[in-house]
Amino acid sequence: MIELSELRDSAAKAFPAGSILPNREESWQLASEMGWLLVDLPEDLGGLGLGRAAGAAIIQELGKVLCTAPLVPALLALRGIAGAPDFDGKAQLVERICGGEYVPLNMLPGSVRAAPDGSLSGLVPGLFEADMASTVLVGSDDGYRLIPLDAEGVTLVERPLWDESRRIFDLVLAGVPASAATLVADGEAAAALHDEIARSAMLYVAADSLGGAAATFDLTVEYLKMRKQFDRPLAMFQALKHRCADLKIALTVAEALFETRAAAADTASVVELGAMKGHATDTFRLIVEDAIQLHGGIGLTQEYPVHHYMKRAMLNLQLCGSLDRLQEVTGRAALAAYA
């Protein structure tokens, strides 16, 4: 059995600290060669069957360097395809994905309408690095479909992002013939598949956020040790020490909650994992905002990497449910439990 620490070590060696924003294509090839697409795939489909926690351990390390390889949407799509009822070409598609073919899942809610003749129209946002893909797995309110990007009526539109570590696309469907898409799950099967994917999505976005938060904290402490005022390193000033201690406590608490939920991700409810994701992404926001303050104005300049982490944190807050929505859902569930 491969230990999570071994996966973390291998990811840290492949993407060492400080090498932020690595080349996207090279990173994706390396991730594929390392076999990271196999970790959460069941053994009967050719995977390693290590579960969500293994994928999250790798993603947490990659978050420290703001990895540009789209491992999260790829793992989510692979879990969706693997968990769907059998369909023509399923085994072959899984094999191609494990070999490095990129098939993403949309990470923002999509809307797809089927006309009486079966043709599809609608808008599907939140497809990361879709320019690398030939096929996408689209999740919408009526099910999950595989849609090839070269099909008639399919258009990709890139949405400009403040976060330079990722590219995001909208998928525009205008009368896509029914024969071009493959419906992999609908009805009750789609609802069950949604919960399975949501568990992984909450865990992976939280992992990416906590990796980024840890790296931002380390960068800030190193800056305070180096930067001097009145001939003393800033790290010697008690008020700044206390702020760093507060950030470290916040990070440690978020990591402890994450590890607890990751260990029980298969049985935890989507609400519990959503609450954990909301806390992790909000902790990332807290740390990057304070890190910029502790850096002074230079924290927002191109010369220092802190602003890259801030942009990643702000986008992560919106993925798989905004913080406001997750807090509302968690609060309602808590009230219902004690009613």
Side-chain angles (χ1 to χ4, degrees), residues 305-326:
V306 179
H307 70 101
H308 292 299
Y309 289 93
M310 181 188 68
K311 294 168 182 173
R312 186 106 165 186
M314 296 306 166
L315 181 54
N316 280 2
L317 272 169
Q318 304 304 319
L319 298 176
C320 308
S322 68
L323 179 61
D324 286 345
R325 179 179 173 278
L326 293 174

Side-chain angles (χ1 to χ4, degrees), residues 210 213-215 217-218 221 240-256 283 286-287 290 294:
L210 293 177
F217 179 78
D218 291 344
V221 171
L240 300 184
K241 288 182 182 178
H242 286 176
R243 287 184 70 173
C244 288
D246 289 342
L247 295 179
K248 183 63 176 176
I249 291 170
L251 178 60
T252 302
V253 169
E255 288 175 338
T283 301
L286 169 71
I287 290 176
D290 257 30
L294 291 167

Side-chain angles (χ1 to χ4, degrees), residues 112-121 142 145 175-179:
V112 178
R113 302 179 307 279
D117 65 353
S119 63
L120 304 173
S121 298
D142 70 338
R145 294 179 177 85
V176 178
S179 58

Side-chain angles (χ1 to χ4, degrees), residues 26-296:
E26 292 175 1
S27 300
W28 175 254
Q29 183 176 354
L30 181 56
S32 175
E33 291 173 354
M34 296 284 283
W36 292 341
L37 290 163
L38 301 173
V39 294
D40 187 31
L41 187 66
E43 291 180 273
D44 58 355
L45 288 174
L48 298 175
L50 299 179
R52 295 178 173 91
I58 294 169
I59 290 165
Q60 191 172 5
E61 289 300 317
L62 300 190
K64 294 179 180 177
V65 298
L66 301 176
C67 188
T68 53
L71 190 60
V72 172
L75 286 176
L76 296 180
L78 191 53
R79 175 165 275 274
I81 293 167
D86 283 339
F87 58 88
D88 287 344
K90 175 177 174 177
Q92 293 80 358
L93 179 59
V94 168
E95 185 177 355
R96 295 206 310 271
I97 294 174
C98 292
E101 181 175 330
Y102 177 52
V103 177
L105 172 75
N106 56 302
M107 293 184 65
L108 292 172
S111 176
V112 178
R113 302 179 307 279
D117 65 353
S119 63
L120 304 173
S121 298
L123 177 66
V124 182
L127 284 161
F128 284 97
E129 320 299 333
D131 58 315
M132 292 172 52
S134 56
T135 301
V136 296
L137 178 63
V138 170
S140 64
D141 47 8
D142 70 338
Y144 288 84
R145 294 179 177 85
L146 285 164
I147 299 180
L149 295 181
D150 60 355
E152 178 186 347
V154 174
T155 307
L156 268 185
V157 180
E158 184 170 5
R159 179 181 295 190
L161 274 184
W162 200 34
D163 177 10
E164 298 160 342
S165 67
R166 292 174 282 192
R167 297 176 67 187
I168 195 168
F169 293 80
D170 291 345
L171 184 71
V172 181
L173 307 176
V176 178
S179 58
T182 301
L183 182 64
V184 301
D186 62 353
E188 293 182 359
L193 193 59
H194 172 271
D195 286 354
E196 279 298 299
I197 295 173
R199 287 186 175 89
S200 297
M202 301 299 183
L203 199 60
Y204 293 162
V205 175
D208 183 83
S209 299
L210 293 177
T216 307
F217 179 78
D218 291 344
L219 281 172
T220 304
V221 171
E222 287 304 312
Y223 178 79
L224 295 178
K225 289 179 181 176
M226 176 271 295
R227 181 73 172 171
K228 291 184 178 180
Q229 196 170 43
F230 307 117
D231 289 330
R232 299 173 63 197
L234 292 178
M236 297 291 289
F237 291 86
Q238 192 173 41
L240 300 184
K241 288 182 182 178
H242 286 176
R243 287 184 70 173
C244 288
D246 289 342
L247 295 179
K248 183 63 176 176
I249 291 170
L251 178 60
T252 302
V253 169
E255 288 175 338
L257 178 61
F258 165 75
E259 290 173 8
T260 300
R261 293 292 185 228
D266 290 341
T267 55
S269 70
V270 175
V271 173
E272 290 172 331
L273 290 167
M276 181 276 296
K277 179 264 179 186
H279 185 70
T281 53
D282 198 34
T283 301
F284 192 12
R285 176 203 58 77
L286 169 71
I287 290 176
V288 294
E289 287 184 347
D290 257 30
I292 286 174
Q293 294 292 322
L294 291 167
H295 274 77

